[in-house]
Amino acid sequence: DNAPEGTVVISDIQTAGRGRRGRTWMSAPGLGIWMSVLLKPNLHPSQVQTLTLASSVAVIRALESLDIEIPGIKWPNDILIGGKKVCGILTELSAEAEKVEWVVIGIGLNVNHDHDDFPNDIKDIATSLRLSGRTQEPFNRSEIAAGIINELEAVYMEFLEKGPGWVAEEWKKRNVTLGKRVELVSQTGVTEAEAVDITPDGRLIVRYDDGRNGEVLSGEISLRRTNLTV
Ligand code: ATP
């Protein structure tokens, strides 16, 4: 509705949280940061995946100042602690052929959840900041949300100035995917490969077992297992 760039919407309760390809994002009331940020970057649509990487760099930078176990980024932009997902980021956009009209970065961060606050089907794969904290005391969600917004602004400005190569390097410093064996799960099946590198525009470079290299786009693939523990 013509909201200006930089508009941030944060909700205490989210009843229809979404992941990729119609998956559900569990958003327990009052326990997390469920936030959307509107950007209107002057970018070609093919560069938006870099913005997705940039968002995960911003969130992880904000988390690095907290007294928690070390977080890492799973390609393209999930944030894990001890191998479990603490934050999911979903980028949605509207674009014409050559130009992005808007991008909404949706961030779901589990903050004060206890084990029992997660539904059974994600209990083993999800964690929260509180569960990863040294004291297990609750965190102040407003302070953390403010930290994420500040980092997002800083990383976004630096990305526009320095370009995708800079974002890819920042991302690599904090990733837990490269150098690992992964399963590439797509509509057509599951393939094992080694995650080798990312391209500046955010594609994952993999080496298949027959020695061939390939590039993978995040819209097409989910990464599973193998050994993504930080
Ligand atoms: P995957 O994590 O399997 O690679 P993905 O990155 O595409 O998939 P998303 O679409 O970002 O996943 O997120 C949806 C998935 O995340 C769900 O299918 C569920 O497994 C998991 N999930 C849902 N809610 C939460 C939550 N609050 N915390 C952690 N994980 C969650």
Side-chain angles (χ1 to χ4, degrees):
D1 293 333
N2 293 320
E5 175 170 51
T7 299
V8 178
V9 177
I10 306 180
S11 69
D12 198 39
I13 298 175
Q14 177 171 256
T15 53
R18 274 181 290 130
R20 296 189 295 166
R21 289 191 290 282
R23 286 196 273 257
T24 305
W25 183 260
M26 307 307 303
S27 322
L31 294 176
I33 294 173
W34 322 125
M35 171 162 104
S36 295
V37 181
L38 175 67
L39 299 175
K40 299 185 174 176
N42 186 11
L43 292 178
H44 190 272
S46 64
Q47 293 174 299
V48 168
Q49 186 155 335
T50 316
L51 201 49
T52 300
L53 300 185
S55 314
S56 57
V57 169
V59 172
I60 205 164
R61 278 199 194 174
L63 300 187
E64 279 166 354
S65 62
L66 304 174
D67 195 7
I68 55 170
E69 290 171 53
I70 298 171
I73 310 171
K74 177 190 143 192
W75 182 85
N77 59 356
D78 284 342
I79 298 184
L80 309 185
I81 301 178
K84 296 183 175 184
K85 193 169 353 183
V86 71
C87 177
I89 301 174
L90 181 73
T91 310
E92 295 177 294
L93 75 151
S94 168
E96 291 160 12
E98 296 297 319
K99 196 177 170 308
V100 170
E101 189 190 1
W102 53 255
V103 177
V104 170
I105 297 171
I107 298 171
L109 175 65
N110 304 324
V111 180
N112 287 327
H113 300 58
D114 209 337
H115 285 292
D116 291 340
D117 295 316
F118 292 110
N120 282 338
D121 56 334
I122 62 166
K123 264 198 173 96
D124 294 338
I125 58 164
T127 191
S128 70
L129 297 181
R130 183 178 183 179
L131 289 169
S132 319
R134 200 170 43 84
T135 61
Q136 306 232 329
E137 287 295 307
F139 285 89
N140 180 320
R141 287 181 296 155
S142 303
E143 278 175 16
I144 295 170
I148 292 172
I149 293 165
N150 284 335
E151 291 290 353
L152 259 178
E153 180 164 13
V155 172
Y156 180 53
M157 301 312 264
E158 209 156 341
F159 161 52
L160 295 179
E161 190 186 318
K162 296 183 177 165
W166 174 78
V167 176
E169 288 310 313
E170 290 294 301
W171 184 95
K172 282 188 211 177
K173 284 183 208 162
R174 299 162 169 95
N175 94 88
V176 291
T177 298
L178 302 184
K180 305 263 170 69
R181 276 196 73 75
V182 293
E183 285 183 345
L184 307 170
V185 183
S186 72
Q187 306 275 45
T188 52
V190 182
T191 317
E192 284 209 26
E194 187 191 337
V196 180
D197 204 351
I198 54 165
T199 63
D201 61 0
R203 274 181 262 218
L204 182 68
I205 302 174
V206 295
R207 183 171 306 121
Y208 298 108
D209 290 346
D210 63 6
R212 280 182 309 121
N213 278 3
E215 286 186 7
V216 181
L217 272 170
S218 73
E220 301 163 351
I221 292 285
S222 277
L223 275 197
R224 285 286 141 73
R225 267 198 338 157
T226 65
N227 188 12
L228 289 168
T229 310
V230 180

